[in-house]
Amino acid sequence: ASAGMHLTSEKRVRKAKRAGLAAATFDVVAASWVAHKARASEWTPAHRDQVAASIGNHLSKLHSLPVSSITAPITSPIIDAVKRRAPQMAAKVEPRLHSILDHAVRRGLIDRNPLPRPPPSKRSNRHFPAVVDLPGIGAILRAADAGECFRGVRRAHLLLAFTAQRVSEVVNAEWSEFDLTVGLWTIPRARMKKKDAQRGPNDVPLPPGVVAQLKEWRRADGAKSRYVMPALKPERAITPEGGEEF
């Protein structure tokens, strides 16, 4: 079905180019951009659908507009509304909107991108103390859901919250380390900060709710999958910074 939708959007883009700029609406160009990015970045179908859904949910007011008519005064109120509702989501939606219009330029549908480039995200070197209270942890997990995290990042958040292991140990966790029958995660000493072999592996008991969630992930990934926190290319794990998410 997805391939058919992509083919339809590409045909509509070609038809729009032949008919003139007025026929190229934002939703057509956005669908073409999603298909292009999914191929170029080797997105999983689930991530592709998440990106398409975020565009559909937050940029719906642009869908029927000719891409040649879109300007900063039109998009600014839309992005500002997303920032008020979900600031973390806006940090994804605004760059996607800019990239979609860059795609329109490359396809010859508009001469230039009319929007200013979004400012780069600011990194802070401040120390942030660990959140240890239950309401605070719950708020972090809810914010992660609102931020449309990629599946590997979403999983890492959950496992970190319920096991309190190091980030490097969580993101590189492999399915072979888990015994979901007894609810135990055995982390090999070689993957831990202190690699003294005589200390043995680290056995981490898992609460029933996490075991149930892990079983769902395992079924979704298939028996041949290796990493519990897969990257966009599932043969690799995500990075400690949650890398490979667009």
Side-chain angles (χ1 to χ4, degrees):
S2 298
M5 290 176 62
H6 161 60
L7 183 60
T8 300
S9 67
E10 291 296 291
K11 285 183 176 180
R12 290 175 67 186
V13 167
R14 289 196 295 269
K15 182 178 179 181
K17 290 175 70 175
R18 291 194 299 268
L21 297 181
T25 54
F26 178 81
D27 61 336
V28 173
V29 179
S32 174
W33 174 81
V34 168
H36 171 76
K37 286 293 296 183
R39 289 195 305 272
S41 301
E42 296 184 341
W43 288 350
T44 63
H47 184 63
R48 179 195 60 211
D49 292 345
Q50 285 180 352
V51 173
S54 76
I55 295 169
N57 292 337
H58 300 287
L59 299 177
S60 59
K61 291 183 178 180
L62 299 176
H63 283 188
S64 61
L65 295 181
V67 70
S68 58
S69 71
I70 294 176
T71 61
I74 290 174
T75 62
S76 290
I78 296 172
I79 296 298
D80 288 345
V82 180
K83 288 179 179 177
R84 289 193 297 271
R85 292 195 309 270
Q88 293 176 325
M89 179 61 71
K92 295 177 181 291
V93 172
E94 188 172 14
R96 286 173 183 166
L97 171 59
H98 197 280
S99 187
I100 290 167
L101 293 178
D102 278 345
H103 183 68
V105 173
R106 290 191 295 270
R107 301 303 301 272
L109 298 172
I110 54 178
D111 294 331
R112 63 179 182 85
N113 192 324
L115 307 184
R117 185 166 297 280
S121 59
K122 296 181 180 179
R123 293 185 177 270
S124 174
N125 293 323
R126 288 189 300 135
H127 173 68
F128 292 93
V131 178
V132 296
D133 61 290
L134 291 179
I137 293 171
I140 291 173
L141 294 176
R142 287 190 294 274
D145 283 339
E148 194 197 13
C149 288
F150 179 63
R151 61 173 175 155
V153 178
R154 188 187 305 274
R155 292 179 181 185
H157 283 153
L158 188 67
L159 206 59
L160 279 166
F162 283 94
T163 66
Q165 300 305 299
R166 289 186 175 87
V167 173
S168 61
E169 293 160 7
V170 169
V171 299
N172 291 299
E174 299 187 19
W175 283 115
S176 60
E177 301 168 2
F178 289 80
D179 186 338
L180 300 182
T181 303
V182 299
L184 188 68
W185 175 22
T186 302
I187 306 174
R189 179 57 52 181
R191 284 214 307 107
M192 302 187 68
K193 184 176 182 180
K194 294 184 178 180
K195 305 185 187 302
D196 185 359
Q198 63 185 3
R199 294 168 64 98
N202 180 27
D203 290 333
V204 183
L206 301 169
V210 173
V211 172
Q213 186 68 77
L214 283 161
K215 288 180 178 179
E216 289 186 15
W217 297 344
R218 185 60 164 155
R219 284 194 294 269
D221 291 355
K224 295 183 179 180
S225 58
R226 177 180 178 183
Y227 292 106
V228 182
M229 267 57 74
L232 293 177
K233 295 181 179 180
E235 65 271 15
R236 297 203 300 262
I238 63 171
T239 66
E241 297 79 19
E244 294 204 81
E245 182 190 8
F246 177 75

